[in-house]
Amino acid sequence: MGFLPPEVSFAQQRHKISAVLWCHVLALHLLPVKMESQREVVEKGKDLLPVREPGQDYHKYFNAKEYNKMYYTNIEGHVGAHGAMMECVIRFYHKVFSQGVRGQRLLDVGSGPTIYQVLSACENFEEIYLSDYIEQNRQQLQCWLEASPDAFDWNHIIKYVCKLEENEVSWEEKAAKLRKRVRAVMHCDVRHDPPLDTDRAPFDCIISSFCLEAACTDEKNFIDAVTHLAKLLKPGGLLLTVVTTGREFYIVGKERFVFGFVMTEDLARHAMEVACLVVTICESHSTPSMIKNSKADFTGFVNIAATKPQ
């Protein structure tokens, strides 16, 4: 045992080696546990946020500026895997309106604080009416219509739509046309019949994007809401709606807004049937598994066009 210092016995050396080995073994066992807990914090971070329900919670906790910042800062819309979704929705509206859908009056129900959904429509309708349940959203819409410095910058989205339309209209002219054709920003509540107080009905076309599944508390409430909208349509009028499917929540700032029920394509089709609308387009899109993250949770979305019989 000549390699041992004279003052260290074999038993002492064996004890030291055993201690070192046990430290390495313990570290190997603990390291994966620690890494797993870090992943869980990221994945379950949404669970640490307060839960906000459809209805009055939106008045109290929804932040319109934060919503636009989180989801519409670039043309990809919802950051990351959500990108294809926003481009697909914009292209859906462009396709419908470029195929000759036109009229005098169009109503956008549940506009939120956004204007992207009516950019293609402003070429085909003389009067456009925006509406939302939340006063803060209506204020943000007015800010943009008045070209206020506090308004969200939609120029990147407007430029994208102009590129899709392949016309010679500049994005500045496009923005000016939309501002001119929006005649009012109104309060609405899709759970009520009628959902808004107006003498401008009936409408040639009604749009609703990512609204009905968030505003309604259950499946019956959703079906009733579609029926309420159908009543506002002229015979031969068109309802265009985009709904997310399999959605459980989405985050705005530090608030988690949950859904009262899980939307499906079958439910959306059934609601159209109950409202006596004829579905002419139904595009169902699935989203990658990566979409289930700490920002939002849904499995896909459906673009629907449905007409009211003459």
Side-chain angles (χ1 to χ4, degrees), residues 16-285:
K16 289 183 178 180
I17 293 173
S18 297
V20 171
L21 288 173
W22 272 109
C23 286
H24 282 291
V25 171
L26 185 61
L28 289 173
H29 279 283
L30 289 179
L31 184 58
V33 172
K34 183 178 180 181
M35 292 177 64
E36 181 65 23
S37 65
Q38 289 173 342
R39 285 196 297 268
E40 287 177 355
V41 168
V42 174
E43 191 67 23
K44 296 179 180 178
K46 61 183 183 293
D47 296 327
L48 303 178
L49 299 177
V51 174
R52 307 306 181 193
E53 305 282 351
Q56 287 299 319
D57 278 357
Y58 274 79
H59 285 298
K60 297 179 181 178
Y61 302 108
F62 190 86
N63 187 317
K65 288 185 176 180
E66 187 66 24
Y67 175 75
N68 280 344
K69 179 181 177 182
M70 287 183 67
Y71 294 103
Y72 300 99
T73 296
N74 49 52
I75 185 53
E76 286 75 21
H78 302 275
V79 176
H82 293 62
M85 170 182 167
M86 185 47 53
E87 289 190 53
C88 182
V89 171
I90 291 175
R91 287 177 178 273
F92 168 65
Y93 285 131
H94 163 66
K95 177 180 71 174
V96 171
F97 292 114
S98 66
Q99 291 178 349
V101 172
R102 60 181 63 251
Q104 181 67 26
R105 290 189 296 275
L106 177 142
L107 171 66
D108 182 26
V109 174
S111 305
T114 68
I115 54 95
Y116 72 89
Q117 66 276 14
V118 291
L119 285 169
S120 290
C122 76
E123 299 296 330
N124 297 15
F125 289 83
E126 294 295 323
E127 302 174 25
I128 295 177
Y129 299 89
L130 306 179
S131 66
D132 200 78
Y133 176 67
I134 309 171
E135 181 179 1
Q136 189 180 148
N137 285 344
R138 300 194 300 272
Q139 290 173 347
Q140 282 298 303
L141 292 172
Q142 286 290 358
C143 279
W144 185 83
L145 292 170
E146 296 166 6
S148 167
D150 293 332
F152 183 75
D153 184 359
W154 290 100
N155 294 347
H156 55 297
I157 304 291
I158 300 172
K159 291 175 183 177
Y160 179 77
V161 173
C162 286
K163 184 177 179 181
L164 279 180
E165 293 175 350
E166 296 182 338
N167 54 35
E168 297 182 0
V169 174
S170 69
W171 67 268
E172 293 95 342
E173 291 173 310
K174 181 80 164 176
K177 177 177 283 187
L178 179 56
R179 287 186 169 105
K180 180 180 179 180
R181 294 199 166 176
V182 172
R183 302 301 175 87
V185 178
M186 303 178 288
H187 172 267
C188 75
D189 187 342
V190 297
R191 299 168 300 176
H192 292 171
D193 185 15
L196 68 165
D197 183 16
T198 178
D199 57 359
R200 298 169 177 89
F203 296 91
D204 300 286
C205 182
I206 296 177
I207 291 177
S208 184
S209 313
F210 309 120
C211 166
L212 301 181
E213 73 274 31
C216 297
T217 55
D218 54 39
E219 293 183 4
K220 182 183 182 305
N221 196 198
F222 170 74
I223 294 170
D224 289 344
V226 174
T227 300
H228 299 162
L229 296 186
K231 292 178 181 179
L232 296 177
L233 277 174
K234 287 182 178 180
L238 181 68
L239 172 64
L240 301 173
T241 185
V242 181
V243 294
T244 50
T245 54
R247 197 169 195 176
E248 297 179 2
F249 73 90
Y250 68 104
I251 304 295
V252 178
K254 296 182 179 180
E255 307 292 344
R256 178 162 61 113
F257 293 88
V258 298
F259 293 77
F261 66 102
V262 177
M263 174 61 66
T264 65
E265 179 185 339
D266 287 343
L267 175 59
R269 283 181 172 273
H270 177 63
M272 301 296 160
E273 181 181 345
V274 172
C276 297
L277 299 175
V278 180
V279 175
T280 56
I281 299 175
C282 185
E283 302 174 347
S284 183
H285 303 271

Side-chain angles (χ1 to χ4, degrees), residues 1-6 8 10:
M1 305 299 295
F3 66 92
L4 291 175
V8 178
F10 178 79

